[in-house]
Structures are given as C-alpha cells and as structure tokens.
Amino acid sequence: MNSPSASDGSLYEIALGSDQPSLVLPVGPATLKSVVGSFMDVLVEQKIPAVVWAKIPRGNVWQVELEKYALQKGIPRAIYQFRNYRDESADDAGMVSSAIVPDEMGSSAQQIPEPLITDRQEEALIPIQLAPESHLRREYFLLIWSTQFQALVLGHRPRSAHLARLAAPQEPATGTTETGAPTEENPEKRQQHLLALCSFDSSLILRVLNGIERAVTVNPSSAPQTADLTEQAIEWRRLIAEMPVAPPNLLTFGQLFARQFQRQEELSQRNLAYRKQAEIAESLELHNEELVSTIRLKDDFLNNVGQELRTPLTNIKTALTLLNSPNIKPPQRQRYMDLIAKECDRQSSLITSLLDLVQLEQVTDRTIQALHLVEVVPGVVSTYQPLAEEKGVKLAYTVPEDLPPISCMSNWLKQIVINLLHNGIKFTPRGGQVWVRAKQHGDYVQLEFRDTGIGIVPGEIPKIFERFYRVRQSSEETSSGAGLGLTIVQQLLIHCGGSISVKSKPGEGSTFTVLLPISKPVKEDEE
C-alpha cells in the first residue's frame, strides 16, 4: 500500500503503509480500553518516565486511565490528550460515558517536578483540540515513548458502519459500555467495532507521530488552541531525543502481558456476572408475567362467579315480589313458585359445581386406582333411565365386560359419566336417542357418548369447555345449568391422564369421545 499524502492520510493508513504492517483486528470498545489501561498500569507500577500522546473517548471510565499516570509524583512525564472539535457529537458514538472536563486535574497534578519537561512543569496532562476537518477525528490512539519501550495502540472507525460490521464478529443485540456492562443506548452504535493494531516498532511509531504532528500543525486556526501547536511539535522532538531507543525490556513486556491477562479476566468475570443478572431478570420477568396472568384469570373467574350467582337471586327476588301482589291468581302463583324452585336448584347446582371445581384444582394426592367401566357406567345409566323415559328419549349403553381396567378414581369416573349423560339427555328432544358405547382403543379405553340432539355450531365447539359457557341455540329449559359441567369433565380427565373430544352438527346431534388410560400393572421390585 502506498503511503498517504501529508495532508489527508490517517494514522491507520500510515501504519498499513509501513514495510511491515501490523496485524489488524476488529475489536470492541471494552477491549480497546483494556489494552490502554494495561499500558498505563505498567507506567504507573514501574514509575517509568514517558511521553504519552493519547486520543481516547470522553468519559470518566476512559479519563481515569490517563489521570492515574498524570497524578504520579516524582516521575518525569508529559501526557498530550487530543480531542475532536465537537467531542460530544457522534464521533465518539459507541465509546462515550459521562463527560468530564479534561483539564480539571486538581492541585496534586500541578506540583510535579519534571526534569525532562521544562516548558510544562505546571501541567502533566496537556489538552489539544483538533481542527474540525482533522482526519484524526475517526481514530483513537495511545502512543508511548519511554526509555524502556515504545508502544502504539491504534483504533480506526471505518467510514461505513456496514464495513465495520463485516470486519467485526457478531455480538448479541444488547450494547455494552466501555467496561463491558450492558447499556440501554442505541445497540447499533454501541456495537460498532474498531479496526485496531498494536506495535512496538519505534520507526513505525515515529512515522505515526509525524502524522499526528501534521494533523495539529495544518490549519491550526480553525479550532481554538491553548498553546502554539507548532512549538509543541518542536518540543515533542526534543523530548524524544532525550529518550533514545533502547533494546526491548523483556521484564517490562512480561508485566504488560500479565496486566492485560488480569484485565481480560476481570472483564470476563464482569460480563459473566452481567449475563447471570440478565438471566435472573429474564426469569423474574417471566415469573411475574405468569403471576399477573394467574391473577387476571382469578379476577375473571370471580367476576363470572358473581354474575352467575346474581342471576338466580335476582329471579327469585322478582318472583317473591310478584307473589306479594293481592291480585295474583292461583295459576300465576304456581308459576312463580315453580320459578323460585327452579332458580334455587340452579343456585344449588352452581355452588356444588364451583366447590367441585375448586376442590379439583387443589388436588395434590392423586391416588389413581384400577377400575372397570362395568362397575360404574351401568349404574349411572340406570339412574338416568327414568329421566330419559319421562322426556321421551331412548337411552342405551354397550360396555363389554372384558375391557381392561382403566386408571381413574371411581368418583371421578362417575362424575364424568353423569355430566356427559345428563347433557346428552337435556339437549335431545323428545323421540331422540342417546347411546353410551365403550371399546378398547390402543393404550386407552374409549367411552363414547352420542345423541341425536340439537347439535353445536362449529364456531362454538372450541368454547364449550370454557367456564360458564352455554350453547347459544339452546332453549330456556336447557340453558339453566351452571355452565361448568364440561369444564369439570375436562379437568377430571386431565388429572387421570385422559382426554375428551367432540364432533357435532347442528340439528343432527353430538358425539363426545372420552379416552381413559388403561391401568398398567405395578411390577414388584426384584429381590
């Protein structure tokens, strides 16, 4: 790659244009901050005199990396900190935390003896603002020149976010701060990676420093300056001349890599803690949603119960009021008396069904027993035979005696048969028929309830197992139930491992098919 021109070449292009270009890797803000911090830690721990040129994002978490070296006493040093002309703009997108004033150093930073820095004894950290059109606005760097080592860390933001994403590995949708913590900022900006490189080649570092010098001396009047930048560039050369290049200090490099390992481990542990916190928060959110849904269902249930209990009471109260009329005739009195009796039965049925349903939902000890259908079904059918004859409905059943036993409690099976048989007779007009048939169906015993009643429209079939739901086309006589019979049947079958389905056509009747699991013999433990 050809070297860039003096006026428009970025530091990244200068580094790539060297004879031995460094390896370029896509990195995130957290990784860049970790590397910068490792270098500054070594300077502080080893008390190494150095000149530092730095352009890092604004923010306390970044600024502290430079300040901990600037605040050291008795170490000859100079830190030149570069800022974009509008540092609070999108130039630092994905890199910025809460901003601070760069030259607020305090008294401790202003009283440090610096033999090598004769012109800047009152300041260890020297701010330099770049011109608005500076080609360094898309770059971050840390350049260190000391007697023990020379180092360059360079990060370049590509002009196209699409190209940056292609160069960078994919990350989760949640952004991270410079310390690796999740953020609520724009995830796309927070995830934009830098094209970064690191070098210890003094000749390459000098070429990059020349690029920095050109950037601050070309058209300096376009941005306000705190000192003459040309004189500062001359001073840089003097400071470098007083720190000649020395052979690499392997001990220093070992300490540098050790600090980097330590920082990466700390970052990994923090990220792991954040992920665990996110998982816990997600689990709590799901649990909260379940609780809210349960509370909502309970509220809906109580609301429906209140409405169902109010209706018969209202009818009873109305009938009692009419009975007190002095002009009421005997036929009317009898009709109101029948209405009261009917509504009392309805109220009793509703309360009984509610208690059954509540008790069923609280069942914890499910002592399922082996049970034969012939022990329950014929007895229930015989009980309902007089009701069917009174209504003019033919009732019959077929239950083979050789059917295998099922897994169900006796009272549960009895209640299932009663509810389905009662519905079949109630919704079948005079002259109709109701059949109960049983047969084996694989690992289940199939119990079928078929009638020639009014049937159910297709749109209502999915709703008939809901609490308090009643078929719309039913007459006043058939709609007097609590609307919980099929709900109870379904819950009972769920508890014993069975299921229920229905087929129906309006005017032709309905067929409810119940599947009950065959009881499996318990194997004795082998001795």
Side-chain angles (χ1 to χ4, degrees):
M1 180 180 294
N2 296 328
S3 300
S5 65
S7 60
D8 60 1
S10 70
L11 304 183
Y12 178 72
E13 293 170 335
I14 292 175
L16 292 184
S18 64
D19 296 334
Q20 296 180 345
S22 302
L23 177 64
V24 177
L25 296 174
V27 300
T31 301
L32 179 64
K33 179 181 178 300
S34 176
V35 174
V36 170
S38 296
F39 276 103
M40 302 311 297
D41 285 342
V42 171
L43 292 179
V44 172
E45 293 171 359
Q46 300 300 312
K47 300 184 181 303
I48 299 176
V51 183
V52 178
W53 294 263
K55 181 174 180 287
I56 59 177
R58 293 182 66 90
N60 290 329
V61 294
W62 288 85
Q63 190 71 16
V64 71
E65 303 295 353
L66 298 182
E67 287 184 348
K68 62 186 177 184
Y69 183 59
L71 294 175
Q72 298 298 307
K73 296 181 179 181
I75 304 177
R77 70 218 176 284
I79 304 175
Y80 297 91
Q81 185 173 11
F82 297 79
R83 295 291 191 193
N84 288 335
Y85 182 67
R86 295 186 180 275
D87 217 359
E88 69 277 4
S89 69
D91 283 334
D92 280 341
M95 312 284 288
V96 181
S97 180
S98 56
I100 64 171
V101 179
D103 54 357
E104 282 187 352
M105 299 301 301
S107 59
S108 61
Q110 300 175 359
Q111 301 175 358
I112 302 175
E114 299 177 6
L116 293 177
I117 310 173
T118 58
D119 296 334
R120 293 288 182 181
Q121 291 182 356
E122 75 282 6
E123 293 186 38
L125 197 154
I126 306 165
I128 298 177
Q129 192 173 50
L130 297 172
E133 68 277 12
S134 173
H135 54 261
L136 301 186
R137 64 185 181 276
R138 306 189 65 83
E139 295 180 312
Y140 301 99
F141 56 83
L142 176 71
L143 194 154
I144 299 175
W145 193 279
S146 70
T147 56
Q148 296 191 25
F149 71 93
Q150 295 79 43
L152 167 67
V153 178
L154 178 61
H156 174 75
R157 285 191 298 109
R159 293 183 180 276
S160 170
H162 175 68
L163 292 177
R165 286 193 293 271
L166 289 179
Q170 296 296 320
E171 288 191 351
T174 304
T176 58
T177 65
E178 295 79 3
T179 57
T183 70
E184 297 179 356
E185 301 288 341
N186 188 326
E188 183 174 352
K189 289 184 178 181
R190 289 286 177 181
Q191 286 186 356
Q192 183 173 340
H193 279 66
L194 302 170
L195 301 179
L197 57 87
C198 181
S199 176
F200 297 93
D201 184 354
S202 58
S203 61
L204 172 60
I205 294 173
L206 285 175
R207 284 195 294 272
V208 171
L209 185 58
N210 288 336
I212 297 175
E213 179 181 338
R214 289 194 297 269
V216 299
T217 55
V218 174
N219 195 19
S221 62
S222 58
Q225 301 295 312
T226 57
D228 184 79
L229 297 178
T230 303
E231 293 183 1
Q232 284 187 339
I234 296 174
E235 182 181 7
W236 297 348
R237 295 180 179 274
R238 180 183 63 80
L239 293 175
I240 291 176
E242 295 180 7
M243 296 182 180
V245 177
N249 189 322
L250 297 182
L251 178 61
T252 301
F253 285 126
Q255 293 169 342
L256 174 64
F257 288 123
R259 291 296 302 177
Q260 181 59 27
F261 290 151
Q262 180 181 355
R263 280 178 168 263
Q264 288 299 120
E265 179 62 22
E266 292 174 355
L267 182 61
S268 175
Q269 292 298 326
R270 283 197 297 268
N271 287 338
L272 179 60
Y274 293 140
R275 284 196 296 270
K276 289 182 177 179
Q277 292 174 1
E279 292 173 358
I280 294 174
E282 183 179 1
S283 176
L284 290 176
E285 183 178 358
L286 291 176
H287 185 58
N288 182 64
E289 291 177 357
E290 292 176 358
L291 291 177
V292 171
S293 178
T294 301
I295 293 173
R296 187 182 300 112
L297 290 175
K298 290 289 186 182
D299 291 342
D300 292 342
F301 178 69
L302 291 176
N303 182 53
N304 291 334
V305 168
Q307 293 178 358
E308 293 294 329
L309 290 173
R310 185 185 299 114
T311 300
L313 290 176
T314 301
N315 293 337
I316 292 173
K317 185 177 180 179
T318 301
L320 289 174
T321 302
L322 294 174
L323 284 174
N324 290 328
S325 174
N327 300 325
I328 189 172
K329 297 179 181 181
Q332 292 176 324
R333 179 180 297 275
Q334 184 60 44
R335 187 164 65 252
Y336 294 145
M337 293 295 294
D338 292 342
L339 176 61
I340 291 174
K342 177 183 176 181
E343 293 300 329
C344 286
D345 292 340
R346 178 180 177 184
Q347 188 88 321
S348 177
S349 175
L350 176 60
I351 294 174
T352 301
S353 298
L354 285 172
L355 293 176
D356 291 341
L357 188 59
V358 172
Q359 183 180 11
L360 183 61
E361 291 179 347
Q362 295 177 347
V363 170
T364 56
D365 183 14
R366 304 174 184 176
T367 306
I368 306 298
Q369 60 191 60
L371 183 66
H372 291 273
L373 292 184
V374 294
E375 298 174 2
V376 176
V377 177
V380 176
V381 174
S382 299
T383 301
Y384 275 85
Q385 192 69 49
L387 176 62
E389 291 177 357
E390 180 182 352
K391 193 175 179 182
V393 175
K394 180 181 178 181
L395 179 59
Y397 72 92
T398 302
V399 180
E401 294 185 358
D402 59 349
L403 286 175
I406 61 170
S407 295
C408 189
M409 295 178 65
S410 177
N411 61 325
W412 289 4
L413 177 60
K414 184 176 181 180
Q415 193 168 2
I416 291 171
V417 177
I418 288 175
N419 287 348
L420 293 177
L421 197 58
H422 181 268
N423 275 0
I425 296 173
K426 182 171 66 171
F427 290 103
T428 300
R430 182 173 295 275
Q433 298 177 348
V434 176
W435 296 276
V436 181
R437 295 189 177 94
K439 65 178 181 179
Q440 185 173 352
H441 183 78
D443 294 334
Y444 295 86
V445 170
Q446 177 179 302
L447 190 58
E448 182 182 272
F449 297 82
R450 181 181 177 188
D451 63 67
T452 58
I454 60 175
I456 308 170
V457 296
E460 292 191 354
I461 290 178
K463 304 176 183 178
I464 61 176
F465 295 101
E466 297 178 2
R467 295 171 178 177
F468 305 109
Y469 187 80
R470 298 185 183 89
V471 179
R472 292 182 181 180
Q473 72 268 27
S474 59
S475 62
E476 181 179 355
E477 179 183 358
T478 58
S479 63
S480 60
L484 293 173
L486 291 178
T487 303
I488 293 175
V489 169
Q490 187 182 54
Q491 292 300 315
L492 287 171
L493 287 169
I494 290 175
H495 278 73
C496 66
S499 64
I500 184 171
S501 60
V502 59
K503 294 181 180 179
S504 183
K505 289 184 179 180
E508 297 184 12
S510 304
T511 300
F512 287 83
T513 302
V514 172
L515 293 178
L516 295 161
I518 295 176
S519 177
K520 296 181 180 179
V522 179
K523 296 182 180 180
E524 297 182 358
D525 296 336
E526 296 182 1
E527 296 183 358

